Amino acid sequence: MTSTATRPTQRTGGGLLVLAAIVMVSFNLRPAAVSVGPVLDEVSTALGLGGAGAGLLTTLPVLAFSTVGALSPALAARFGPHRVTLVALVVLVLGLSGRALTDSAAVFLALSFLSLSAMATTNVLMPSLVKRHFPDRIGVMTAVYTTALAIGLTAGFTLTVPFTHLLADSSWRVGLGAWAVLAAVAALPWFLLWRLDRTATLARHGEGNVGWSDVARTRLGWTMAAFFGLQSVQAYATFGWFAQLFRDSGYSAATAGLLVGVLAGASIPTSLLVPWLAGRRPDQRAIVVVLVSTYGLGYLGLFVFRADLAWFWALLIGVGGACFPLALTMIGLRSRTPQGTAALSGFTQSVGYLFSAIGPFGIGIIYAATGGWDVPIVFLAALLVPQMVLGLMAARPRYLEDELARRT
């Protein structure tokens, strides 16, 4: 399997081109979703979005990941993963540039969804591409691309406003449109890689026909999806609400933002370390225990001390957020073939992201009902129990294709 999986890389000038392509596209997998937040007030005012429109805009990433992302494995099986990635990047460029130019709220929302759909498509295919080109280095390569993703996430939060000042006439349009330029640069190496899908690569490699519905019939598929979903609940809840938590605890708005930045910034080194460690062993249960326990310690510290040592509790929760790159690594480790990886990735992420709406929505309801943060923190901590159980189940060494063969 190793020789056939690596052959495409050898025909395109070695692994360096593929490595560069994967890193560049990974950097662009989050700015489309998070770059609007820093200039949301300006966008809402200019386009007349209103409260409902702004709320819909913040919900679009979940909708794109849970719907369009599920189609990615079938598209890759039909047209080839490299071609689908290239088309998705072109669509991303068109969507990002178009929404930066429009004066219509409806068009802005539609182009935002188009951009997010392109991003979701590529996001699902990344584990499969790593499996195809680097089958013996899944942990290392997942570390590389999830670190690039984390850097892109942080850049989307922090650079959009500075981008608005690139021209003399400062505008949110420049800040959002700049990400279209970076996406266009990321598409360049994929014009060289698209020829790998010139023939029916999947059939020639004998990888079988594993689809979304096949994964839905396996215990592994649902275990991975539930674990991914619960870690998404934690991430969306903390990113969406913890700035308010810190402000209610007595910190200024600027300091509260920095504390959330610490929480997000912790994902950069952990995205490099955790997949590397996970890829070096067949069983990742010890890593699950450490990460989920770190989450719990952070919540315990917030519950007991709240305003004291807030930097440390934010850091612990940020380290616990490394369950995200761990889940992506296990997608590649729990499947034997690139097509199986694509199907498992599509199912895990599309179903898992449906869970993520529970986070910000549920925390908002509990916070409004109780008027404080004790019950929301307990709620998030309680969700760590099923997350731990499901993580331990998903981390056991087994393979999607083996479960499907037993069912057959």
Side-chain angles (χ1 to χ4, degrees):
M1 171 52 89
T2 299
S3 61
T4 54
T6 55
R7 194 177 301 150
T9 303
Q10 295 166 357
R11 285 202 303 267
T12 57
L16 187 59
L17 175 63
V18 179
L19 174 61
I22 289 176
V23 169
M24 292 169 71
V25 74
S26 298
F27 181 84
N28 286 273
L29 290 180
R30 288 299 179 270
V34 303
S35 58
V36 176
V39 292
L40 181 58
D41 286 343
E42 291 83 353
V43 172
S44 299
T45 300
L47 302 181
L49 281 177
L56 176 59
L57 183 61
T58 58
T59 309
L60 289 180
V62 175
L63 295 176
F65 273 108
S66 59
T67 56
V68 180
L71 303 176
S72 300
L75 291 173
R78 175 66 178 84
F79 301 105
H82 307 87
R83 287 182 176 179
V84 173
T85 300
L86 174 59
V87 172
L89 284 169
V90 172
V91 172
L92 178 63
V93 173
L94 295 175
L96 290 177
S97 56
R99 76 176 186 178
L101 298 173
T102 185
D103 291 317
S104 166
V107 173
F108 185 91
L109 290 170
L111 290 176
S112 292
F113 184 74
L114 184 68
S115 303
L116 293 165
S117 298
M119 185 187 72
T121 299
T122 339
N123 193 77
V124 167
L125 292 181
M126 281 298 103
S128 174
L129 288 163
V130 168
K131 184 78 169 182
R132 178 175 300 277
H133 291 286
F134 305 96
D136 298 323
R137 288 173 284 174
I138 291 175
V140 172
M141 284 305 302
T142 304
V144 170
Y145 95 77
T146 55
T147 301
L149 189 152
I151 294 173
L153 170 70
T154 305
F157 277 123
T158 59
L159 295 182
T160 299
V161 172
F163 280 164
T164 64
H165 303 293
L166 287 177
L167 301 180
D169 184 17
S170 299
S171 170
W172 60 267
R173 298 181 186 276
V174 178
L176 295 184
W179 297 107
V181 177
L182 294 176
V185 174
L188 295 178
W190 294 93
F191 282 98
L192 301 176
L193 295 175
W194 73 273
R195 68 182 186 271
L196 296 181
D197 300 323
R198 185 177 299 162
T199 56
T201 306
L202 296 180
R204 191 173 67 246
H205 287 172
E207 294 171 6
N209 183 26
V210 182
W212 198 92
S213 59
D214 298 310
V215 181
R217 294 187 291 110
T218 65
R219 179 178 297 180
L220 174 62
W222 285 103
T223 302
M224 286 290 299
F227 175 66
F228 188 91
L230 286 171
Q231 68 82 25
S232 297
V233 168
Q234 303 286 348
Y236 275 80
T238 53
F239 284 131
W241 282 101
F242 271 35
Q244 186 65 47
L245 181 152
F246 291 127
R247 292 191 68 176
D248 291 348
S249 301
Y251 290 96
S252 67
T255 303
L258 288 175
L259 286 168
V260 176
V262 169
L263 195 152
S267 66
I268 296 177
T270 55
S271 292
L272 194 60
L273 178 63
V274 169
W276 176 75
L277 291 174
R280 292 172 59 87
R281 63 195 70 199
D283 189 321
Q284 294 78 39
R285 282 178 286 189
I287 301 176
V288 171
V289 171
V290 170
L291 294 180
V292 178
S293 298
T294 304
Y295 248 138
L297 289 174
Y299 287 145
L300 178 63
L302 279 180
F303 184 84
V304 176
F305 301 104
R306 193 66 54 82
D308 298 325
L309 297 176
W311 299 92
F312 184 60
W313 311 132
L315 181 62
L316 287 179
I317 294 170
V319 171
C323 286
F324 172 68
L326 174 63
L328 292 179
T329 307
M330 289 197 296
I331 289 173
L333 296 175
R334 298 284 90 88
S335 48
R336 294 189 180 277
T337 65
Q339 192 180 13
T341 304
L344 183 58
S345 177
F347 183 83
T348 296
Q349 296 195 54
S350 61
V351 174
Y353 274 115
L354 287 176
F355 280 83
S356 62
I358 300 174
F361 183 71
I363 292 299
I365 291 177
I366 297 173
Y367 174 63
T370 62
W373 286 104
D374 286 348
V375 178
I377 291 174
V378 170
F379 172 73
L380 289 173
L383 289 179
L384 293 176
V385 176
Q387 184 175 338
M388 175 77 83
V389 173
L390 290 162
L392 293 174
M393 293 172 60
R396 291 190 294 111
R398 51 184 172 150
Y399 297 95
L400 170 69
E401 292 83 356
D402 296 349
E403 284 198 21
L404 289 173
R406 285 195 294 269
R407 291 185 64 87
T408 303

